[in-house]
């Protein structure tokens, strides 16, 4: 019976932890479903005092920025993931071949970028002054195309592909690029799927490069849109004019609820989809060991 | 080099020459032969190599900016050389001490806190047999899927001065509400808490995956010997998990000079009054770059960040190699 008690205690512990973890999400959803007036009266509540869909109505009334945000985000996610997967596999294949003379130096060449980099300022100057990528979609895609981490994971997977397959293809006179496209790529579909999920996830949540390189409204991805909304609201709330602004602005326009509704519409769909792929996220870590 | 080949001979690298350079030339010739033999694989690697050269290795050259007075119109190489002038601020301004201290202390806290909590969670998760494990995992993992921008929104829901939930609770107990964003002390607790909330699910799952990878033979044998569950946890699971813990710890230490920009930018909301306890190297450099900031001081501290970061990870790895060669990263 002792074991049963331990089970109950552990389950209880996890229930409480999970409740604490999920709470913040519930709060944001509750705020978006409250009426603006009740928020001003009672503050944010886990259970809305007055339910209202007004915020969502306002968000969907003028959906252009949101739609454009979705468009940009989907574009960089799709293009970025395909490009990134291809480049990662292309780099990982030669350095996974132990009979390749330059395997070790090239592995080091990739691995070293994981340990050392030039930092933000040289990178920013390179991207804007030399490559002239400010305000382009490329600025959102290129920085994450070849993560050394992903290359090492891919290499770890390719290391396990049997040598005989490659050898027999070579005996048949196949060239390396043919082996790569016809044999290696199809064989590594499981690894590519897992890595692709990782990469797509990264692009979807991308905000750092957008913050650095995008100030043109045309290329604002979802996350940057959210940054802009937040910083606008904060500017009002923290300025010396806060109280005046509060009376003038917030009284007429339901900013608090709309802000949260916007956040939910922008990130909700992925928050529902990604957890389904959860086990692949873990798999991605075990697919290849990190050791070079 | 006075060693010009006589006219008439084809001046290729493979030609036989005077006795002294023979060794070099033959080495070169051999290497060329190797390159030709491996040319297909080299060609496959080439796009990636060039890409990395531009995106990752060129910025490393840009690190010399730390020793220059940078002007956009003069570029990296045209700007004036000023030696160590940019580093002077490290000893003068209190900014430098502050951002370095904050970066190191926060990162160290995050590493230890997340490691301890998620290790415990993984061990407890492993004791469960019910189907609820899946539910727990997914819930724990949920914060991992959202961006730091959204974490900023969530933080705002709790910390907002007028409507925030924390102040609502405080007022419920008759306390006065805090203007969290304008204070310094609370952030020492808020930031690690948010970091834990965001990261605990992921590292729990990493450790849990490590535990499920342990062969069941060990546990069978232990059970036959009459070991208790706690004994199995401390004598089998933990020792076998040690390599993973060590590797993750080194990775963390190696990045101790790289702060979590998103966490320190969106959650404290980039508001001046809380900088003493929230500003880290990364946010400082970002502000220098985008707002009116001192780009030269930022370049100097960025240089420090890159170089010291490399030294820390190599040193940490060296130490681990000393202790146990198998656990070293490289």
């Amino acid at each position: 019976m002792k074991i049963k008690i331990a089970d109950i205690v552990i389950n209880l512990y996890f229930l409480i932890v999970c409740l604490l973890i999920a709470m913040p999400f519930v709060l944001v959803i509750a705020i978006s479903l409250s009426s603006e007036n009740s928020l001003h009266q009672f503050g944010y509540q886990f259970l809305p005092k007055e339910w209202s869909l007004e915020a969502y109505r306002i968000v969907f009334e003028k959906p252009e920025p949101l739609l454009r945000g979705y468009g940009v985000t989907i574009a960089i996610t799709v293009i970025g993931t395909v490009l990134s997967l291809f480049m990662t596999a292309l780099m990982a294949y030669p350095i996974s071949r132990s009979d390749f003379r330059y395997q070790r130096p090239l592995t080091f060449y990739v691995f070293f970028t994981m340990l050392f980099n030039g930092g933000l300022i040289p990178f920013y100057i390179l991207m804007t002054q030399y490559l002239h990528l400010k305000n382009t979609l490329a600025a959102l895609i290129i920085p994450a195309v070849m993560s050394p981490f992903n290359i090492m994971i891919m290499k770890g997977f390719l290391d396990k592909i049997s040598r005989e397959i490659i050898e027999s293809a070579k005996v048949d006179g196949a060239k390396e690029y043919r082996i790569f496209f016809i044999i290696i790529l199809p064989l590594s579909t499981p690894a590519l799927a897992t890595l692709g999920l990782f990469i797509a996830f990264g692009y979807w949540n991308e905000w750092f490069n957008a913050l650095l390189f995008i100030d043109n409204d045309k290329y604002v991805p979802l996350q940057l849109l959210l940054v802009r909304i937040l910083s606008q609201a904060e500017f009002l709330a923290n300025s010396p004019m806060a109280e005046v602004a509060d009376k003038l602005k917030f009284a007429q326009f339901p900013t608090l609820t709309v802000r949260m509704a916007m956040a939910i519409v922008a990130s909700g769909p992925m928050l529902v989809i990604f957890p389904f792929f959860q086990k692949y996220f873990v798999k991605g870590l075990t697919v290849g060991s990190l050791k070079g | 080099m006075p060693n010009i080949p006589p006219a008439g001979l084809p001046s290729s690298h493979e030609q036989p020459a005077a006795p002294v350079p023979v060794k070099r030339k033959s080495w070169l010739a051999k290497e060329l032969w190797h390159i030709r033999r491996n040319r297909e694989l080299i060609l496959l690697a080439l796009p990636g190599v060039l890409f990395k050269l531009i995106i990752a290795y060129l910025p490393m050259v840009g690190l010399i900016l730390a020793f220059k007075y940078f002007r956009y119109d003069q570029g990296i190489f045209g700007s004036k050389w000023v030696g160590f002038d940019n580093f002077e601020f490290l000893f003068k301004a209190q900014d430098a001490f502050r951002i370095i201290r904050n970066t190191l202390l926060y990162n160290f806290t995050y590493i230890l806190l997340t490691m301890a909590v998620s290790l415990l969670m993984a061990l407890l998760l492993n004791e469960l047999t019910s189907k609820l494990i899946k539910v727990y995992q997914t819930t724990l993992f949920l914060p991992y899927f959202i961006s730091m921008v959204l974490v900023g929104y969530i933080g705002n829901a709790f910390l907002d001065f007028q409507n925030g939930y924390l102040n609502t609770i405080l007022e419920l107990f008759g306390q006065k509400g805090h203007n969290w964003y304008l204070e310094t002390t609370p952030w020492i607790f808020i930031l690690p808490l948010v970091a834990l909330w965001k990261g605990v699910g992921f590292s729990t799952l990493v450790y849990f995956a490590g535990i499920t990878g342990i062969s069941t033979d060990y546990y069978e044998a232990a059970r036959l010997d009459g070991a208790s569950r706690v004994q199995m946890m401390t004598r089998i699971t933990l020792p076998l998990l040690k390599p993973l813990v060590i590797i993750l710890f080194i990775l963390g230490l190696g990045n101790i000079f790289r702060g979590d920009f998103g966490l320190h930018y969106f959650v404290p909301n980039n508001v001046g009054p809380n900088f003493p306890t929230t500003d880290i190297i990364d946010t400082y450099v970002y502000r220098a770059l985008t707002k009116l900031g001192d780009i030269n001081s930022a370049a100097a501290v960025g240089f420090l960040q890159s170089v010291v970061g490399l030294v820390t990870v190599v040193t940490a790895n060296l130490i681990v190699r000393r202790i146990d060669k198998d656990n070293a990263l490289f």
Side-chain angles (χ1 to χ4, degrees), chain A residues 3 11 21 44 101-102 109 117-118 130 146 176 205 211 223 226 234 256 259 267 271 278 282 291, chain B residues 31 35 40 49 52 57 76 136 138 141 145 147 153 156-157 163 197 205 229 258 269 306 326 328:
Chain A
I3 295 163
N11 270 306
I21 297 244
Y44 297 154
R101 184 174 167 79
Y102 305 99
Y109 182 81
N117 62 60
Y130 292 88
M146 278 182 77
E176 292 291 355
N205 272 345
L211 207 58
Q223 300 298 331
L226 291 182
E234 267 351 279
L256 298 175
R259 222 164 75 196
S267 19
L271 205 54
Q278 178 188 290
V282 184
K291 289 199 166 194
Chain B
E31 204 54 44
I35 288 179
E40 288 171 12
V49 170
K52 277 261 159 236
Y57 282 90
I76 289 180
Y136 298 151
T138 309
F141 216 2
F145 292 110
S147 71
Y153 275 77
N156 194 261
N163 310 305
W197 176 77
L205 257 76
R229 275 164 86 172
R258 301 232 164 262
N269 238 321
S306 290
D326 292 338

Side-chain angles (χ1 to χ4, degrees), chain A residues 58-126:
Chain A
I58 291 173
V59 168
F60 287 114
E61 215 170 53
K62 272 192 174 173
E64 290 88 8
L66 202 67
L67 284 180
R68 209 180 308 118
Y70 261 104
V72 172
T73 297
I74 290 171
I76 60 168
T77 304
V78 171
I79 301 172
T81 307
V82 172
L83 191 67
S84 182
L85 274 181
F86 180 69
M87 291 297 283
T88 302
L90 196 61
M91 188 76 227
Y93 173 57
I95 62 173
S96 75
R97 285 278 299 269
S98 50
D99 56 333
F100 178 37
R101 184 174 167 79
Y102 305 99
Q103 186 210 19
R104 290 183 68 84
L106 277 182
T107 307
F108 180 77
Y109 182 81
V110 172
F111 186 68
F112 185 67
T113 61
M114 209 148 94
L115 307 177
F116 189 67
N117 62 60
L120 181 59
I121 291 180
F123 181 67
Y124 180 82
I125 293 168
L126 172 81

